[in-house]
Amino acid sequence: GCSNAQVAKPDTQPPVAQSTSQSAAQSTPSKKFTTADVAKLKWIEGTWRGMDGDKPFYERYKIEETAMIVETLRADGSVNGEPDRFELKHGEFGKDEGDERSAASEITADYIQFVPAVPGKGNNFRFERQSNGTWRAVLDWPAKADKPARQKIYIMEPWKP
């Protein structure tokens, strides 16, 4: 409503460069999330198409009270495999278990930042709401001994099978 009108400025972009390179690299999952934080992700609900090079891929996102369900779809709209579930547990919002676990370090009205729950295992990724009805998935891999740091960005557009 009106109480958060100053906070959400849909036409301004979060400062991607600084936050991605510095804070995301050291950030750790937050343990303070609530169902109100999960509700901020309603903007990501829907069916989306992204392009990986020249190959399209399709995903459906659904927000429940304590979860975000991500289904991979085929080109005809049918579900392909088991969905990913990001769940709110003990104040942490994430998916998978053990070393592979990713969890959110920050949730705002316009983006969610995920980091590896075990530092150095896996990559950082964030979903950023755009003002034109699309959103960006920004994936960051830290530098390793044999590889430089790299980033991949997918633009997710609304899609109807």
Side-chain angles (χ1 to χ4, degrees), residues 33-109:
F33 291 123
T34 65
T35 52
D37 292 303
V38 177
K40 291 176 189 169
L41 301 171
K42 278 290 193 192
W43 57 267
I44 207 167
E45 280 200 315
T47 306
W48 307 92
R49 183 189 74 187
M51 296 295 289
D52 189 1
D54 57 0
K55 292 186 182 64
F57 63 94
Y58 310 97
E59 294 177 332
R60 182 185 300 128
Y61 286 70
K62 191 168 156 217
I63 301 298
E64 295 179 351
E65 192 178 3
T66 61
M68 176 171 72
I69 293 105
V70 184
E71 294 174 320
T72 301
L73 304 178
R74 297 184 182 94
D76 65 1
S78 62
V79 177
N80 187 5
E82 285 296 302
D84 274 334
R85 286 185 71 88
F86 293 80
E87 298 197 73
L88 181 66
K89 286 184 185 156
H90 313 296
E92 191 174 273
F93 187 66
K95 81 173 177 79
D96 296 334
E97 300 299 329
D99 280 1
E100 297 300 306
R101 186 167 171 71
S102 292
S105 59
E106 199 177 357
I107 299 176
T108 73

Side-chain angles (χ1 to χ4, degrees), residues 13-20 126:
Q13 296 300 319
V16 177
Q18 302 93 322
S19 62
T20 314
R126 62 193 274 146

Side-chain angles (χ1 to χ4, degrees), residues 25 31 43 49 60 92 102 104 118 125 129 135 140 151:
K31 307 240 189 268
W43 57 267
R49 183 189 74 187
R60 182 185 300 128
E92 191 174 273
S102 292
V118 179
F125 58 99
R129 180 185 197 173
W135 58 275
D140 282 294
Q151 183 178 75

